[in-house]
């Protein structure tokens, strides 16, 4: 049974939503009025209230009640270490803007530590958007390492590998994986993994203090297919085998079990294992990501989650 939210708290929630839509998502006051179902004058007053109540700084600084409730329920259901649910833009529930800002805030917190850390990264659109939100920093005490390569078999690179971009922003020692995403054969995979440089990178990954990964969906819109790493025929075979999502190119089913054979036989990424005690952040949002996120949570591949409220609501219905 839901507790009734006091009128003042509800108005602050509305002000926080209006402030987020205006300052983060870049909506006009007319657009905010339409999305919140209020007059333009009310929308203007809500944005002003967000400022006067100091809810708006550089990032939204108000624990919106509904988002907090969703966060608590997801944490309890999936046994998460942490879960941040950000507001959704009603017209763009799959937008990465909100989750990128939240992920950047957590990354910045990690980088601000004076204690040297090893921080591992996957790849993808949400992670790249997060890295783009980071301020320029000087973090020579940290090491950042990539969980996977970004080369196709012909040597071309994905635009969504983040490790070089990140290193430029924070001035940290960085260790890109010098491998293609997929080997052409099991024999080639063995040769690639026998390189001393790869051994060193895999060892760093095992020691990582914190990890950030994106979560990819399956089907014709899957990043693996759109970016040219997996053909449409291969994707159909994966779906027929029960594949529901992927992390660092490792494909898994609804229960979080890795799919046997197929492209998983040729993945050159670091092994995808259930998260232990150290934080592994999954960053994803959108209707198309929900099944993949559910599989990742069921498989315990992530133990921290950053998503938006629309996606959180859908996850809790499954």
């Amino acid at each position: 049974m839901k507790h009734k939210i006091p009128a003042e708290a509800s108005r602050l929630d509305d002000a926080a939503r209006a402030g987020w839509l205006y300052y983060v998502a870049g909506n006009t006051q007319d657009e905010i009025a339409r999305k919140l179902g209020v007059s333009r004058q009310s929308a203007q007053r809500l944005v002003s209230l967000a400022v006067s109540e100091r809810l708006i700084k550089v990032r939204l600084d108000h624990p919106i009640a509904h988002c907090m409730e969703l966060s608590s329920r997801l944490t309890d259901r999936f046994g998460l270490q942490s879960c941040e649910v950000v507001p959704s833009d009603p017209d763009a529930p799959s937008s990465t803007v909100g989750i990128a800002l939240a992920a950047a805030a957590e990354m910045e917190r990690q980088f601000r530590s004076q204690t040297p850390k090893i921080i591992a990264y996957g790849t993808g659109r949400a992670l790249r958007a997060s890295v783009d939100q980071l301020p320029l920093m000087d973090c020579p005490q940290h090491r950042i390492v990539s969980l996977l390569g970004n080369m196709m078999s012909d040597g071309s690179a994905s635009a969504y590998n983040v490790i070089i971009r990140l290193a430029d922003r924070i001035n940290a020692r960085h260790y890109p994986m010098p491998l293609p995403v997929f080997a052409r054969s099991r024999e080639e995979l063995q040769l690639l993994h026998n390189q001393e440089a790869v051994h060193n990178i895999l060892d760093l990954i095992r020691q990582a203090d914190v990890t950030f990964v994106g979560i990819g969906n399956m089907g014709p819109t899957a990043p693996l297919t759109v970016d040219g790493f997996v053909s449409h025929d291969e994707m159909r075979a994966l779906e027929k085998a029960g594949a529901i999502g992927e992390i660092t190119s490792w494909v898994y089913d609804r229960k979080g079990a890795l799919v046997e054979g197929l492209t998983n036989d040729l993945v050159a990424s670091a092994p995808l294992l259930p998260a232990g005690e150290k934080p592994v952040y999954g960053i994803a949002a959108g209707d198309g990501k929900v099944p993949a996120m559910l599989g990742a949570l069921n498989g315990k591949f992530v133990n921290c989650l950053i998503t938006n409220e629309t996606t959180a609501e859908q996850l809790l219905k499954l």
Side-chain angles (χ1 to χ4, degrees):
M1 180 178 178
K2 281 190 175 181
H3 296 291
K4 188 174 181 180
I5 300 173
E8 181 61 21
S10 179
R11 183 156 179 78
L12 287 179
D13 283 357
D14 290 340
R17 290 178 187 277
W20 187 90
L21 288 168
Y22 188 80
Y23 289 102
V24 179
N27 285 245
T28 65
Q29 290 180 357
D30 285 332
E31 290 171 328
I32 294 169
R34 178 175 57 79
K35 291 177 181 180
L36 297 184
V38 299
S39 68
R40 187 182 188 281
Q41 290 75 17
S42 292
Q44 186 177 20
R45 285 194 293 270
L46 287 171
V47 172
S48 297
L49 181 62
V51 175
S52 66
E53 291 294 326
R54 300 184 182 276
L55 307 182
I56 296 295
K57 296 178 184 175
V58 176
R59 301 184 180 94
L60 185 62
D61 192 22
H62 177 75
I64 293 174
H66 185 51
C67 290
M68 297 296 287
E69 177 191 353
L70 292 170
S71 172
S72 178
R73 290 171 61 192
L74 284 169
T75 298
D76 291 344
R77 176 172 169 182
F78 295 106
L80 298 172
Q81 290 184 14
S82 72
C83 177
E84 182 160 3
V85 178
V86 303
S88 296
D89 182 341
D91 283 352
S94 298
S95 171
T96 61
V97 173
I99 62 171
L101 284 168
E106 178 56 35
M107 292 175 192
E108 183 178 347
R109 187 180 73 82
Q110 297 289 340
F111 292 133
R112 293 288 181 197
S113 170
Q114 293 305 305
T115 302
K117 291 187 177 184
I118 300 171
I119 304 176
Y121 274 83
T123 188
R125 291 154 177 77
L127 280 180
R128 193 181 79 166
S130 304
V131 167
D132 287 345
Q133 295 294 336
L134 282 169
L136 295 176
M137 303 171 69
D138 189 32
C139 306
Q141 72 274 29
H142 300 314
R143 288 176 285 178
I144 53 175
V145 58
S146 181
L147 295 166
L148 72 167
N150 73 324
M151 291 186 297
M152 298 179 67
S153 57
D154 65 359
S156 59
S158 165
Y160 298 102
N161 188 278
V162 301
I163 206 77
I164 305 297
R165 198 182 195 102
L166 178 60
D168 287 341
R169 296 197 72 81
I170 67 166
N171 188 32
R173 287 176 290 171
H174 59 288
Y175 301 81
M177 184 83 79
L179 296 177
V181 174
F182 294 104
R184 288 172 293 189
S185 67
R186 292 185 183 183
E187 292 73 23
E188 182 182 70
L189 181 62
Q190 188 65 39
L191 288 171
L192 291 171
H193 276 186
N194 281 338
Q195 297 178 67
E196 184 178 353
V198 175
H199 276 297
N200 293 338
I201 288 172
L202 292 174
D203 188 50
L204 280 177
I205 291 168
R206 283 189 287 269
Q207 299 175 61
D209 296 290
V210 60
T211 300
F212 293 93
V213 296
I215 300 173
N217 56 293
M218 294 288 100
T221 63
L224 284 177
T225 300
V226 172
D227 295 341
F229 294 108
V230 169
S231 70
H232 288 285
D233 287 343
E234 288 172 320
M235 181 55 65
R236 282 190 286 269
L238 287 168
E239 290 185 284
K240 187 175 180 180
I244 201 73
E246 61 89 11
I247 293 176
T248 62
S249 303
W250 288 100
V251 175
Y252 52 83
D253 64 19
R254 184 183 178 87
K255 294 181 179 179
L258 293 176
V259 172
E260 293 186 9
L262 301 173
T263 59
N264 275 354
D265 278 349
L266 302 175
V267 177
S269 313
L272 179 62
L273 303 170
E277 295 183 359
K278 294 178 180 178
V280 179
Y281 285 86
I283 304 164
D287 294 350
K289 300 275 189 176
V290 171
M293 293 171 69
L294 180 65
L297 291 165
N298 285 338
K300 308 293 184 185
F301 296 132
V302 300
N303 55 22
C304 302
L305 184 67
I306 297 175
T307 190
N308 65 24
E309 58 183 322
T310 300
T311 308
E313 288 168 345
Q314 293 182 36
L315 277 170
L316 289 165
K317 291 176 182 176
L318 297 177

